[in-house]
Amino acid sequence: LGLSVAAACPTARVTLSDFAGHGAAGGAVMDNLRSNAARNASRCGSRVRVVELDWAHPCAARLWWSLAEPGGEAGIRGPHVSLEPVDVALGTEVLYTDKGTRALVGALALLLRRPGGVCYIVNNARRTAVALLESECARHGLSIQRLPPSELAEHHCSRVASTFPPPWDECDVYSLLRLGWAESCM
């Protein structure tokens, strides 16, 4: 998704993130993300970087790949990098466990620009961690809106082509969620 946004929005700076601590596949997850970014460098240029981001420790992000940052070309875990507040964050299938949901919302509270920063999440609505999201958002001063899936494509990302257009699977029920600061107009 992030590479599609970078290709469709030529002025956007895009940070792709994942976490190598996902059990046995950890390092492979980061290597795959780095490889995809490197393969698409001609479309996205130096505006894209790959960082390892542990939501439980968002201030300890590590650079994995970037054409624009020193040490970012090597494709190995690099130096710690600071993450600036963002205007828009996107997440797909990020709500799996209660612990992960708590960490994600805590990280978003640090990383979303005030005021006006938003996060769009597309997630399987049947995952148990989705139910915890609303109370965690309220605890951190964020509000949550459930949007019809057409909302993102029609109004926010009309130039982004999805490789997974809805419906994804007739057995799955997906939610499109918009998180933002409670004091902002939603």
Side-chain angles (χ1 to χ4, degrees):
L1 178 62
L3 289 172
S4 294
V5 170
C9 304
T11 59
R13 290 183 316 159
V14 176
T15 298
L16 306 173
S17 68
D18 212 319
F19 178 51
H22 294 302
V29 167
M30 293 307 303
D31 288 338
N32 187 44
L33 187 57
R34 176 199 48 79
S35 177
N36 285 336
R39 277 197 306 272
N40 286 282
S42 64
R43 291 181 190 95
C44 306
S46 61
R47 300 172 294 107
V48 175
R49 68 178 177 173
V50 173
V51 300
E52 179 182 7
L53 177 61
D54 178 354
W55 298 333
H57 306 285
C59 295
R62 296 189 74 104
L63 182 66
W64 273 70
W65 182 86
S66 170
L67 291 177
E69 297 178 53
E73 313 84 17
I76 57 171
R77 181 184 269 175
H80 287 281
V81 292
S82 63
L83 298 177
E84 301 288 323
V86 300
D87 296 316
V88 179
L90 304 173
T92 57
E93 289 298 326
V94 293
L95 305 171
Y96 283 93
T97 65
D98 288 354
K99 180 180 176 183
T101 296
R102 285 185 188 95
L104 171 63
V105 174
L108 287 171
L110 290 173
L111 297 173
L112 287 179
R113 184 175 310 282
R114 272 186 186 247
V118 296
C119 175
Y120 293 95
I121 296 175
V122 176
N123 213 90
N124 187 318
R126 293 186 177 140
R127 299 218 189 272
T128 58
V130 174
L132 179 65
L133 187 63
E134 196 164 339
S135 63
E136 282 301 303
C137 283
R139 194 166 73 84
H140 287 279
L142 295 166
S143 62
I144 182 171
Q145 274 185 300
R146 295 184 195 305
L147 302 173
S150 60
E151 178 79 11
L152 187 61
E154 290 174 10
H155 302 289
H156 301 287
C157 295
S158 59
R159 297 183 315 176
V160 176
S162 172
T163 55
F164 301 105
W168 292 280
D169 183 329
E170 292 179 18
C171 298
D172 290 332
V173 176
Y174 282 83
S175 292
L176 172 59
L177 308 168
R178 181 182 191 266
L179 285 61
W181 294 108
E183 72 268 7
S184 300
C185 284
M186 298 293 291

